[in-house]
Amino acid sequence: MKIAVFGGLGTLASEFVVQAMVASHFVSWFLHTDDELSDTSLETPAYHDAICIVRGSSDMLSKYQETVAGCDAVVVAFDPRYTQPSSWVHQQRLIQTAMRRESILRILVITAHGAGDSQRRLDWSTWAKFNVDQLRYMLLGQIDMCWSIIAQYTAQEGVVTNSETLEVRESSSRGNGDDVLGQRDWALQWTILRPGLLMEGPATGTYLASHDHVFGGHISYADVSDCAIKALEESMDIGECFSVAYSARVA
């Protein structure tokens, strides 16, 4: 499978890229022009059969289109420590525009538990973590981050779930050389993963993924990436949102 990845050098996106390559998937990875890879060999010919790195700024639609061209699926995993949450909605729209132009349907978006309708099912530890983060941003003078992370994840999800069925005009050529314009519907095939509190750690495979539970506790970046790869490989339910974590209690 050829997978386009957006999320830059964020921890989750980087972990997904590694796991996807280990699973023998080809990765097309969008990075900012000035991003510095810890392993620069990834951009050498030695890895050309496993990964293609496309560089550009976050508002360059042509580079987004270059990243998704020929891909079977797209994974989006924005990290607030890497990109400003206020840019996520704009970037998500550009990604989907690029997908439409390249006739790519499948997308998996990783946000956070607490986004969208999962907000009313937050457990106390996750709620406390979010509020501590808000206090930290205020003390550091990062007012633009206050209350914006979950709100921006929710807005990003809205771009995905409210994507309209768009009409795409495709040209084909008959044997006599006449161009025939055909029309077909383009409908995004999306799945959203909402991990609990993220932490470092190995992939254990012991996590739960469900839209019927209230989640608590943590989950490692490695296990979220594992879940994302399995979601693509096993055609996880399209048009559904899943909270992902190590523990849960029935709502």
Side-chain angles (χ1 to χ4, degrees):
M1 185 184 301
K2 184 177 181 181
I3 306 171
V5 179
F6 293 88
L9 294 179
T11 306
L12 188 51
S14 300
E15 176 65 28
F16 179 87
V17 166
V18 171
Q19 289 199 29
M21 292 173 63
V22 169
S24 299
H25 297 298
F26 185 90
V27 174
S28 180
W29 192 9
F30 179 81
L31 295 178
H32 292 159
T33 304
D34 56 354
D35 283 342
E36 296 183 2
L37 287 167
S38 58
D39 183 0
T40 57
S41 66
L42 291 175
E43 295 189 90
T44 66
Y47 282 92
H48 282 183
D49 291 336
I51 187 170
C52 172
I53 294 176
V54 179
R55 290 183 176 273
S57 65
S58 59
D59 59 352
M60 294 178 66
L61 177 58
S62 61
K63 292 299 183 179
Y64 283 60
Q65 195 167 340
E66 181 182 343
T67 303
V68 305
C71 288
D72 303 295
V74 173
V75 170
V76 183
F78 292 141
D79 186 332
R81 297 172 300 177
Y82 177 77
T83 54
Q84 283 292 330
S86 58
S87 72
W88 293 347
V89 166
H90 177 64
Q91 290 185 61
Q92 187 65 45
R93 287 177 177 149
L94 287 178
I95 291 167
Q96 290 174 204
T97 299
M99 291 177 65
R100 174 170 56 84
R101 290 186 178 184
E102 295 295 328
S103 300
I104 298 166
L105 304 179
R106 187 73 172 108
I107 187 169
L108 187 142
V109 179
I110 304 173
T111 59
H113 184 64
D117 59 0
S118 68
Q119 185 173 13
R120 65 177 182 268
R121 298 197 289 267
L122 279 176
D123 68 293
W124 72 268
S125 61
T126 307
W127 180 89
K129 173 65 164 58
F130 289 155
N131 281 275
V132 168
D133 281 346
Q134 303 313 311
L135 178 59
R136 179 166 57 87
Y137 293 136
M138 291 180 67
L139 293 175
L140 293 175
Q142 296 174 295
I143 302 301
D144 60 325
M145 296 285 283
C146 288
W147 303 109
S148 68
I149 295 177
I150 291 300
Q152 290 299 330
Y153 274 135
T154 298
Q156 179 193 358
E157 288 187 3
V159 175
V160 178
T161 60
N162 295 323
S163 58
E164 298 177 354
T165 300
L166 301 172
E167 197 173 71
V168 180
R169 300 180 67 84
E170 295 181 325
S171 62
S172 61
S173 179
R174 290 183 176 178
N176 58 10
D178 294 333
D179 286 336
V180 178
L181 287 180
Q183 293 182 345
R184 71 175 178 81
D185 287 336
W186 180 88
L188 201 64
Q189 298 176 358
W190 56 267
T191 300
I192 293 174
L193 299 184
R194 296 166 171 163
L197 300 177
L198 291 164
M199 65 178 190
E200 300 292 340
T204 67
T206 60
Y207 52 83
L208 302 171
S210 172
H211 44 69
D212 297 324
H213 293 80
V214 178
F215 281 75
H218 298 71
I219 184 167
S220 69
Y221 293 99
D223 268 326
V224 177
S225 298
D226 178 75
C227 182
I229 290 173
K230 288 178 179 176
L232 294 176
E233 291 177 340
E234 300 172 11
S235 299
M236 195 172 191
D237 292 355
I238 292 172
E240 296 286 350
C241 302
F242 295 86
S243 289
V244 187
Y246 290 134
S247 62
R249 59 180 183 274
V250 177

